[in-house]
Amino acid sequence: MSNASVHTGRHFLQIPGPTNVPDRVLRAMDMPTIDHRGPEFAQLGLEVIEGSKKVFKTKNPVIIYPSSGTGAWEAAIVNTLSPGDKVLMVETGHFATLWRAMADKLKLDVEFVPGDWRHGASPEDIEARLSKDKAHSFKAVMVVHNETSTGVTSRIHEIRKAIDAAKHPALLMVDTISSLGSIDYEHDKWGVDVTVSCSQKGLMLPPGLGFNAVSDKALEASKKNSSLRSYWDWHEIIAANKGGSWSYTPATNMLYGLKEAIAMLMEEGLDNVFARHKRYSAATRAAVETWGLENLCLDPREYSPILTAVVMPEGHDADQFRKVTLDNFDMSLGAGLSKIKGKVFRIGHLGHFNDLMLMGTLAGVEMALDLAKVPHRAGGVMSAMSVLTGRDAKASQAKTAVA
């Protein structure tokens, strides 16, 4: 066995989800199985349902499924839309494309706005398309908030304004699978009708829970659509949730973990959580810029706080670089997906994460760039450190004062 295959210490999981699960959450899940129809579970059920509303920032129902985010995608569609309904979707990356593929399978009529995978959904383009739709044939606008494959965050609040400016009644459906609990998001305030999410990203849990947060308008639509559904039906679950139960066997121990994860978010304070992720994003971008590498996201307004996708120099393979990183430093970086496979690697900096974990991550990347003989400049780690300690801000202020 070669030395490169033997590692001590902890593995660095720096993909943008599943993320590191805190010990507190793991210990909370390490409980005996209980009666999911009994009073102890009912109390837990009510607590996690109400706690989830705080994270989504909604007063309306949040439906929790034993599912992946893909299941939550399907639940959003089959509860609100009928086969043949026309929807507007935007190609922001790999996961927007997958959601579109599901919509096709469920027989929706999809208008898919092409994109370059380097920008988010354009509010201006959405407004223009809806303004032309005088017959209101579009029944929904479906957008990925944070595109995990590209590190691009779409401006959902501006998209809501665009829909309103067009005076269009389409539902607004948003995927927050990688953004919930890490990037500021306002289900009620932004007028979102269905918010889709899952457990293994900002909520710091293992995979296994899917979520739909729903507006009154979405609930009304769900009473009229003709899509067949049973497991995903909102109304049966909401009725059972009133007593802290579910209409089928819930993921009991995952809900113990969810309760603890919500407690951790509330203890830190959501605004502090969002600010922390922005710091890590800024520090990572500073490192990438110093290395002389390119950020896949081109619009500074759309930089993702939870991951940075880095473009490899021409002639260098991102997957080979990731292999060097894993073999030598026991660190997993995110792969490029679909049409950017081998062209980018993704640095996840979200969830249960702190300054030293980020510095260790970036040090591993810089060392691996050397070993993989990827053209770059040294000093990225120092640039990131300056952001985290505030030295870059102080230097900028000093320059401004001298000027």
Side-chain angles (χ1 to χ4, degrees), residues 233-255:
D233 189 82
W234 288 344
H235 296 281
E236 290 186 9
I237 298 170
I238 291 171
N241 281 172
K242 291 177 181 178
S245 185
W246 269 257
S247 52
Y248 41 64
T249 305
T252 53
N253 287 52
M254 285 289 289
L255 295 178

Side-chain angles (χ1 to χ4, degrees), residues 288-322:
V288 171
E289 183 178 353
T290 298
W291 290 329
L293 301 179
E294 187 180 359
N295 190 334
L296 185 64
C297 180
L298 291 178
D299 188 338
R301 297 174 299 172
E302 297 173 340
Y303 287 150
S304 171
I306 66 102
L307 80 138
T308 302
V310 184
V311 181
M312 289 294 282
E314 191 70 32
H316 293 266
D317 183 76
D319 290 336
Q320 176 58 30
F321 168 70
R322 290 173 52 252

Side-chain angles (χ1 to χ4, degrees), residues 16 22-23 27 44 52-53 80 91 118 131 136 169 179-181 222 275 287 298 304 313 315 331 367 395 401-402:
D23 286 344
R27 297 294 77 80
L44 171 66
S52 296
K53 292 179 182 181
T80 58
E91 184 193 6
R118 307 194 72 171
S131 295
H136 295 164
S179 57
L180 187 76
S222 71
L298 291 178
S304 171
M331 180 166 71
M367 289 189 290
V402 169

Side-chain angles (χ1 to χ4, degrees), residues 160-172:
R160 175 73 266 172
K161 291 178 181 177
I163 296 171
D164 292 344
K167 296 182 173 57
H168 202 287
L171 296 167
L172 175 57

Side-chain angles (χ1 to χ4, degrees), residues 177-394:
I177 284 172
S178 63
S179 57
L180 187 76
S182 299
I183 303 175
D184 191 18
Y185 185 80
E186 303 258 5
H187 176 87
D188 283 359
K189 185 177 179 180
W190 293 351
V192 181
D193 293 299
V194 185
T195 299
V196 174
S197 201
C198 67
S199 55
Q200 73 267 23
K201 310 276 188 174
L203 290 181
M204 306 176 290
L205 287 157
L209 295 179
F211 300 83
N212 280 178
V214 299
S215 71
D216 290 337
K217 183 177 175 181
L219 285 170
E220 194 59 34
S222 71
K223 297 174 183 177
K224 299 175 182 177
N225 79 313
S226 61
S227 289
L228 298 177
R229 58 204 185 268
S230 175
Y231 181 84
W232 304 116
D233 189 82
W234 288 344
H235 296 281
E236 290 186 9
I237 298 170
I238 291 171
N241 281 172
K242 291 177 181 178
S245 185
W246 269 257
S247 52
Y248 41 64
T249 305
T252 53
N253 287 52
M254 285 289 289
L255 295 178
Y256 278 120
L258 177 59
K259 177 184 175 182
E260 193 68 23
I262 292 170
M264 291 178 68
L265 291 172
M266 294 304 139
E267 287 167 14
E268 185 176 356
L270 287 176
D271 288 344
N272 295 326
V273 172
F274 304 146
R276 173 166 57 84
H277 284 83
K278 284 184 177 180
R279 284 181 66 240
Y280 297 154
S281 177
T284 303
R285 291 196 305 274
V288 171
E289 183 178 353
T290 298
W291 290 329
L293 301 179
E294 187 180 359
N295 190 334
L296 185 64
C297 180
L298 291 178
D299 188 338
R301 297 174 299 172
E302 297 173 340
Y303 287 150
S304 171
I306 66 102
L307 80 138
T308 302
V310 184
V311 181
M312 289 294 282
E314 191 70 32
H316 293 266
D317 183 76
D319 290 336
Q320 176 58 30
F321 168 70
R322 290 173 52 252
K323 184 178 186 302
V324 169
T325 307
L326 180 62
D327 289 348
N328 287 275
F329 304 113
D330 197 21
M331 180 166 71
S332 296
L333 297 171
L337 300 171
S338 187
K339 67 182 184 181
I340 54 174
K341 178 176 172 56
K343 298 179 181 179
V344 307
F345 65 90
R346 296 174 296 148
I347 304 171
H349 34 77
L350 74 156
H352 187 56
F353 201 62
N354 60 31
D355 291 26
L356 291 182
M357 292 168 73
L358 179 63
M359 294 311 301
T361 299
L362 297 177
V365 172
E366 187 158 338
M367 289 189 290
L369 289 170
D370 279 333
L371 289 176
K373 296 181 170 41
V374 176
H376 70 287
R377 296 189 298 265
V381 173
M382 291 300 296
S383 295
M385 193 183 304
S386 293
V387 173
L388 293 182
T389 59
R391 287 203 304 268
D392 66 325
K394 292 172 185 175

